[in-house]
Amino acid sequence: MRFETNYGGFSEDGQEYIIKTWDVPRPWINYLTNGRFCSLVSQTGGGYAFLESSGYHRLTRGDPQDMVLADPLGRYIYLYDRETGQWWRLTGPQVGYPVERWETRHGFGYTQILHRQRGIEGTVTFFVPLEDDVEVWMVHLANIGDRPRQLSLFTYVDWCLGDYQADLLEAEFNKLFNVSFVEEGILYATKRLWSIPMRGGARPNLAWDRYAFMAASFEATGFDLIKERFIGRYRSVWNPLAVERGQCTNSAGNGQDLIAALQTEITLDPQETFAFTVLVGSVPVGNHGKAAALRKKYTWEGAEAELARVRESWKEYMGRVTVETPDDAFNLSVNYWNKYQAWITFHWARMDSYYVGGGSIIGFRDSCQDILGVLPHDPHKAVEHLKYIARHQFRNGGCLHNWDPVTDLGVVSGHSDDPLWLVLAILFTVKEVGDLSLLDTVVEFYDEGSGSLWEHLTRALEYVMARISPRGIPLIGAGDWNDALDHVGVEGRGESTMVAEHLCWMLREVADLAERRGEIELAQVYGRIYRKVKDAVNTYLWDGEWYIRATRDDGLPLGSRECKEGRIYLNAQSWAVISGIAEGERALRCMDAVAEHLDTPYGPALFLPAYHEPDPAIGIITRFSPGTKENGAIFNHPVCWAVIAECLLGRGDRAYELWRKTSFIYRGLDPDRYKVEPYVYAEYVHGPDSPSFGMGEFTWTTGTAAWMWRACLDWILGVQPAFEGLRLNPCIPFHWKRFRVRRPFRGAIYEIEVQNPKGLNTGIHKIRVDGKEIEGNLVPDFRDGRVHQVHAVLSGSSKGSFQDLARDSGTSSKAALRKRS
């Protein structure tokens, strides 16, 4: 294995993470999804499934109280030896069981568990087909002993049936609406009440419009649909009565807590095998017969063929953009696992995970950022998603903070940053596709009427610009990107440095775009506003060595030398550089302050010191335990922006250092400290004020996925979409002597090789395209469907290196350099 620990490692080809034991420090999960049906599957088979919305179309249950520590609910396969009376679990946690061998392989679109115990070796492969709303289990059993075996086999899931919150909060009441029946050997369940809201706050008297079902390719000899009959009293999925007795009770009924369990009998001679499939899925109430068609489709041979399609689909997707650098972990991340995680967040935003969720939330700001991680691979899908997001903007330029994809109902929260993320998503998309006419696409507003994407963009800017303090700085409102600063501006006077910086970045970019559209006067207006806000930030928010983060309603600063806690915030510094507000010496000083005051072995903290005393004038951020969540943790999302800022400063060693410190691959080499999955980013890592310093939390559903992937491709490797073509502007660590990138762009393929013979960080000396040298660093936009060879060399001065800039920029930089040394 590659990057192997005592718990597992990456396969030789990098496309699987192989787990060697069931009892890893936390559930290490996978998302199996076609973008419509989604299954979360842990290394033991734990987790649950939903269709479109985990809040209103939840099929199976997870256990939100014990999911992270015990992972008790999920997909269970039990085996009962009819000769000895012994029974065990093929899947699920194996507490107290004599496991001879365990191996879980998480791959792209599938998870496979191998478990050997009591002379039986079982392999279970879970996947979701590309089109059908179903989870497929491919189960293969082998008798590896020297005597015949008489076995009873049971498959099991626990139904939720529609409304997750109702099931969670009022399970005993909610079960009164449950209905179950058996037809042609298929187990069906639904609910006669679906508490789905409508516009105006009404909750109509509706039944859930889906059937959940379980089917299998074997001939069932027994079943149960009533949980009490299968599990028994004072028992759980770890010791079900029906399995202990070796016989289901053939229960079905209404108004009961429902599950699905199928039983069959198996005889295996020595070395004999038995293979079958199980389906757990959802069909419309008016067409429940479709389940029988799916069972017929997904026999073992049909499932094998569909799994091959799933794997081929992912192989093709992963091969669209590839990189080759001297760092194997960087390659694994950018080529495979970071890319995979970005695809998942693009489809499911922050809707659900093992840590948070269970609702139906699609976030406006989240989705705008998630587009970035899919855009280079699938521009068409990204454009369609962009239009979907834009439909949740109001005509006045404001927007929903989040919404449910089934009801399309959402919340207006008053977060000041939300509209600006739509501007950013539109800009990135137009640069990728290179078609200004995209801006003329008409998209409806959420409340009334419709407008072009250009109108959506300009209205978003106008909305933010209309909410500015007397000093010329945007108001923070209910919060900005940092939702936990939720009381800083409740009275309407608090200011946000980050929104000011975000606005400036967008104004600068949109002014350029307006000029390209021939709207010269508008471009000039945006340019004047950009300079005005920039001057205000540099006048009022510079604290001597860094930028303060915000001002409260009472005028007191956050993130200032005057503050005992929360003295310096990361985002205020990185976004000052990205936006162009901080230039020259000031840009260097603010990012050097990050290195001096925020650096940890696991990356820079969001701010330090953490808040130890709650402050009602700041918000919930001060109530999180110190070193957790937004209160002084290493929040990986903002680290991406710090990487970008360092690249803009030409400090490739420092940018790479930040990436490496927060890399899930390198963090995962210390699994008993890090605990969470070593193949995807966590939202945050506990900070130095936490007794669990270095432990990861809240994996998968984080904006880190899209931003870190783009930080690596666009800024470290420097392959940047521009209106006129691909701009090549790498900023790499000095020890990288060369790297390669293969990237599709506007219908052509660019195979790029950059050489670094002098050990520099940045500075393109010359570029040859298809053997011909070009001026500058802008590679032409060919759009010809052909493959083009691009060769570049870093040369000239090494002035951009972190060491030289640190030496040249004064005391704080020298202190930062000493600290790192």
Side-chain angles (χ1 to χ4, degrees):
M1 299 183 193
R2 297 158 70 180
F3 300 98
E4 185 174 3
T5 70
N6 52 319
Y7 295 108
F10 292 95
S11 61
E12 186 175 353
D13 64 4
Q15 299 188 50
E16 291 180 326
Y17 194 87
I18 305 170
I19 302 169
K20 299 184 289 187
T21 176
W22 68 269
D23 56 340
V24 293
R26 290 286 186 272
W28 289 0
I29 74 165
N30 198 0
Y31 278 72
L32 314 180
T33 179
N34 53 22
R36 176 179 164 83
F37 191 95
C38 185
S39 296
L40 280 66
V41 182
S42 75
Q43 82 285 351
T44 66
Y48 47 90
F50 59 89
L51 172 71
E52 295 180 331
S53 161
S54 75
Y56 293 117
H57 283 309
R58 179 74 75 92
L59 272 68
T60 55
R61 283 177 175 150
D63 187 335
Q65 304 303 321
D66 294 319
M67 187 175 295
V68 172
L69 292 181
D71 197 21
L73 293 182
R75 305 148 185 88
Y76 279 88
I77 299 173
Y78 304 92
L79 292 172
Y80 174 85
D81 190 317
R82 297 199 300 272
E83 292 181 336
T84 66
Q86 290 182 324
W87 64 273
W88 64 100
R89 298 186 291 270
L90 184 60
T91 57
Q94 301 293 312
V95 179
Y97 284 86
V99 176
E100 298 171 21
R101 182 186 175 193
W102 186 282
E103 180 181 278
T104 299
R105 291 175 176 258
H106 286 318
F108 309 133
Y110 68 93
T111 288
Q112 184 179 88
I113 296 172
L114 183 150
H115 179 193
R116 181 186 299 162
Q117 187 178 150
R118 293 180 169 93
I120 300 295
E121 183 169 279
T123 302
V124 188
T125 304
F126 301 103
F127 73 94
V128 170
L130 295 177
E131 286 90 23
D132 293 317
D133 299 333
V134 67
E135 174 184 295
V136 180
W137 311 359
M138 299 177 64
V139 186
H140 183 275
L141 301 177
N143 179 0
I144 59 174
D146 56 5
R147 65 181 178 89
R149 304 296 293 273
Q150 306 289 326
L151 302 173
S152 294
L153 178 140
F154 305 82
T155 63
Y156 175 94
V157 294
D158 202 325
W159 292 130
C160 176
L161 304 177
D163 189 338
Y164 166 76
Q165 290 294 332
D167 184 70
L168 176 67
L169 300 176
E170 298 182 293
E172 285 302 303
F173 177 75
N174 204 47
K175 73 182 184 183
L176 300 175
F177 307 101
N178 288 348
V179 176
S180 68
F181 62 93
V182 184
E183 187 176 289
E184 297 180 358
I186 300 175
L187 309 183
Y188 293 93
T190 189
K191 196 177 292 289
R192 291 158 61 96
L193 180 67
W194 192 28
S195 301
I196 187 168
M198 306 292 283
R199 290 203 180 191
R203 286 186 177 266
N205 188 9
L206 296 175
W208 190 36
D209 62 357
R210 311 289 301 184
Y211 281 114
F213 74 90
M214 174 184 276
S217 62
F218 57 66
E219 182 178 349
T221 58
F223 65 89
D224 274 306
L225 280 157
I226 297 177
K227 186 173 184 176
E228 184 178 359
R229 299 290 294 277
F230 184 82
I231 297 292
R233 291 177 294 139
Y234 306 109
R235 291 170 174 264
S236 73
V237 290
W238 290 5
N239 60 343
L241 183 61
V243 175
E244 191 173 287
R245 291 175 172 173
Q247 185 61 56
C248 283
T249 68
N250 296 343
S251 63
N254 304 331
Q256 301 280 335
D257 202 356
L258 298 180
I259 54 95
L262 286 170
Q263 176 181 352
T264 194
E265 313 306 318
I266 305 169
T267 299
L268 290 176
D269 289 328
Q271 310 308 311
E272 188 178 5
T273 63
F274 178 66
F276 61 92
T277 58
V278 177
L279 307 184
V280 176
S282 173
V283 291
V285 164
N287 186 22
H288 75 273
K290 184 178 179 182
L294 290 171
R295 179 175 61 180
K296 183 177 180 181
K297 178 178 180 179
Y298 293 113
T299 60
W300 184 266
E301 293 76 15
E304 276 190 319
E306 182 62 21
L307 177 59
R309 287 185 67 219
V310 170
R311 297 184 69 163
E312 184 60 31
S313 174
W314 276 110
K315 180 180 179 182
E316 191 275 332
Y317 184 83
M318 293 295 176
R320 294 178 190 176
V321 179
T322 59
V323 307
E324 181 186 334
T325 77
D327 189 322
D328 190 30
F330 191 94
N331 301 337
L332 265 177
S333 182
V334 176
N335 287 334
Y336 297 125
W337 293 93
N338 188 178
K339 187 186 300 182
Y340 183 50
Q341 184 182 7
W343 191 94
I344 297 298
T345 60
F346 172 85
H347 284 86
W348 297 111
R350 313 298 173 265
M351 181 185 289
D352 209 273
S353 76
Y354 255 53
Y355 296 87
V356 294
S360 301
I361 293 174
I362 298 292
F364 190 92
R365 96 157 60 100
D366 301 328
S367 295
C368 287
Q369 296 172 80
D370 294 338
I371 281 178
L372 309 187
V374 168
L375 193 52
H377 313 286
D378 196 340
H380 175 74
K381 180 175 286 189
V383 168
E384 293 305 307
H385 201 57
L386 175 65
K387 291 187 285 187
Y388 169 68
I389 296 168
R391 287 200 295 104
H392 297 88
Q393 181 189 34
F394 294 99
R395 192 168 187 84
N396 69 356
C399 59
L400 296 178
H401 186 61
N402 53 52
W403 66 91
D404 169 70
V406 174
T407 66
D408 209 35
L409 298 179
V411 175
V412 178
S413 63
H415 285 77
S416 55
D417 65 310
D418 281 345
L420 292 175
W421 295 107
L422 179 63
V423 180
L424 181 142
I426 293 173
L427 286 167
F428 268 77
T429 302
V430 173
K431 286 186 178 181
E432 182 68 36
V433 301
D435 183 3
L436 295 185
S437 68
L438 175 65
L439 297 169
D440 299 323
T441 303
V442 175
V443 178
E444 63 189 46
F445 292 104
Y446 187 74
D447 49 352
E448 59 178 2
S450 60
S452 67
L453 280 177
W454 177 249
E455 188 175 351
H456 280 264
L457 180 154
T458 55
R459 284 179 180 270
L461 287 174
E462 290 162 7
Y463 184 89
V464 175
M465 291 187 295
R467 290 156 177 80
I468 286 182
S469 75
R471 301 197 302 178
I473 296 165
L475 299 172
I476 194 170
D480 55 20
W481 172 87
N482 195 329
D483 301 279
L485 296 174
D486 57 342
H487 276 66
V488 171
V490 291
E491 297 175 10
R493 294 187 297 276
E495 301 166 323
S496 170
T497 306
M498 186 174 176
V499 173
E501 294 163 342
H502 195 169
L503 176 62
C504 279
W505 185 17
M506 297 300 95
L507 285 170
R508 186 180 63 186
E509 293 284 331
V510 176
D512 177 42
L513 185 55
E515 189 171 336
R516 293 172 186 276
R517 284 174 54 87
E519 300 188 36
I520 306 302
E521 185 176 343
L522 182 62
Q524 293 171 345
V525 169
Y526 286 164
R528 286 195 296 270
I529 298 172
Y530 166 79
R531 291 187 292 273
K532 184 177 179 180
V533 177
K534 177 180 178 179
D535 290 344
V537 172
N538 279 310
T539 300
Y540 300 114
L541 302 180
W542 177 250
D543 200 46
E545 294 293 334
W546 60 79
Y547 290 91
I548 70 171
R549 176 60 174 83
T551 61
R552 310 184 333 182
D553 282 323
D554 59 11
L556 293 177
L558 272 69
S560 165
R561 291 175 299 174
E562 303 172 13
C563 301
K564 179 182 177 181
E565 297 174 331
R567 292 184 71 237
I568 174 173
Y569 279 71
L570 176 58
N571 285 347
Q573 321 318 318
S574 58
W575 279 75
V577 175
I578 293 169
S579 64
I581 286 176
E583 297 179 305
E585 175 71 12
R586 188 167 285 191
L588 294 169
R589 289 174 69 182
C590 73
M591 290 306 294
D592 287 340
V594 168
E596 184 171 357
H597 299 286
L598 296 181
D599 257 9
T600 80
Y602 313 114
L606 184 60
F607 65 83
L608 286 176
Y611 294 105
H612 289 256
E613 294 296 328
D615 189 335
I618 297 176
I620 196 173
I621 194 170
T622 66
R623 298 188 182 277
F624 291 122
S625 295
T628 68
K629 206 64 167 72
E630 283 93 342
N631 189 8
I634 296 98
F635 225 79
N636 284 322
H637 194 167
V639 176
C640 309
W641 298 323
V643 170
I644 293 170
E646 292 293 356
C647 287
L648 291 172
L649 295 177
R651 310 199 297 196
D653 295 323
R654 174 64 174 160
Y656 172 75
E657 175 191 356
L658 294 176
W659 173 83
R660 184 183 172 101
K661 280 185 172 183
T662 52
S663 161
F664 50 79
I665 296 177
Y666 287 118
R667 292 279 56 77
L669 293 176
D670 187 8
D672 289 311
R673 178 187 296 272
Y674 187 56
K675 294 188 183 297
V676 295
E677 296 97 324
Y679 45 86
V680 291
Y681 282 104
E683 181 186 63
Y684 72 93
V685 171
H686 283 242
D689 291 273
S690 167
S692 300
F693 184 32
M695 184 173 75
E697 297 271 21
F698 295 17
T699 54
W700 284 95
T701 53
T702 165
T704 313
W707 272 109
M708 192 63 88
W709 193 82
R710 291 304 291 261
C712 291
L713 182 68
D714 291 29
W715 280 276
I716 293 179
L717 301 181
V719 183
Q720 303 168 355
F723 293 117
E724 305 90 344
L726 271 181
R727 193 172 302 281
L728 195 54
N729 189 23
C731 187
I732 59 175
F734 74 91
H735 64 273
W736 283 13
K737 297 306 180 185
R738 70 172 59 198
F739 69 85
R740 294 185 177 91
V741 176
R742 185 180 191 274
R743 193 197 197 283
F745 185 63
R746 301 177 188 171
I749 302 293
Y750 294 76
E751 293 186 345
I752 301 166
E753 181 178 22
V754 176
Q755 296 180 330
N756 184 22
K758 296 185 178 180
L760 307 178
N761 290 139
T762 190
I764 290 289
H765 173 60
K766 62 180 179 179
I767 299 177
R768 298 180 69 86
V769 179
D770 296 330
K772 298 179 181 179
E773 190 167 332
I774 64 171
E775 293 291 330
N777 66 346
L778 186 67
V779 181
D781 176 6
F782 290 104
R783 303 191 191 214
D784 57 5
R786 297 173 57 193
V787 177
H788 297 275
Q789 303 296 323
V790 180
H791 296 272
V793 178
L794 296 185
S795 187
S797 171
S798 61
K799 186 177 179 180
S801 70
F802 176 78
Q803 287 83 353
D804 287 334
L805 286 170
R807 184 171 58 250
D808 294 342
S809 59
T811 304
S812 66
S813 296
K814 293 176 182 177
L817 181 59
R818 284 198 301 272
K819 183 175 180 179
R820 272 188 302 285
S821 298

